[in-house]
Amino acid sequence: MRPLVEFCVNNLTPDVLEIKKELEKDYSIDVIDYGCLGYCGICARQPYALVNGEMVKGKNATDLYKRIYREIEAIKIRY
């Protein structure tokens, strides 16, 4: 099973959109966006994504990208 990374379209600033596009190039993960993920308070403050349902937040888009891959690696170790 491939890891699933979910984005809220309201959180897709230009820099977060760029990392989403980079993640989509990695065929070992699934990437999808939704109209709303229900985390509006966080969404308004900082970039975030869900990785297999676990929230991953970043200080900026670059930090989020790194943290997403860290979470994916942690998932691989757990399973």
Side-chain angles (χ1 to χ4, degrees), residues 12-45:
L12 290 177
T13 59
D15 51 344
V16 175
L17 184 58
E18 285 302 312
I19 69 159
K20 179 182 174 275
K21 289 178 183 178
E22 284 300 311
L23 291 167
E24 289 173 331
K25 293 177 187 177
D26 185 341
Y27 295 112
S28 69
I29 61 175
D30 290 323
V31 179
I32 192 164
D33 58 62
Y34 293 98
C36 180
L37 291 173
Y39 297 98
C40 301
I42 294 165
C43 188
R45 289 191 309 265

Side-chain angles (χ1 to χ4, degrees), residues 1 8-9 12 14-18 33 40-42 44 46-48 52 55 58-59 61 64 66-68 72 77 79:
M1 180 171 98
C8 175
V9 294
L12 290 177
D15 51 344
V16 175
L17 184 58
E18 285 302 312
D33 58 62
C40 301
I42 294 165
Q46 67 190 108
Y48 82 98
N52 281 8
M55 180 173 295
K59 296 174 188 169
L64 177 62
K66 292 175 187 174
R67 290 173 186 250
I68 287 171
I72 290 170
I77 292 170
Y79 299 99

Side-chain angles (χ1 to χ4, degrees), residues 3 51 67-78:
V51 178
R67 290 173 186 250
I68 287 171
Y69 270 105
R70 273 191 234 136
E71 181 63 23
I72 290 170
E73 288 305 311
I75 290 168
K76 289 178 184 177
I77 292 170
R78 282 181 260 171

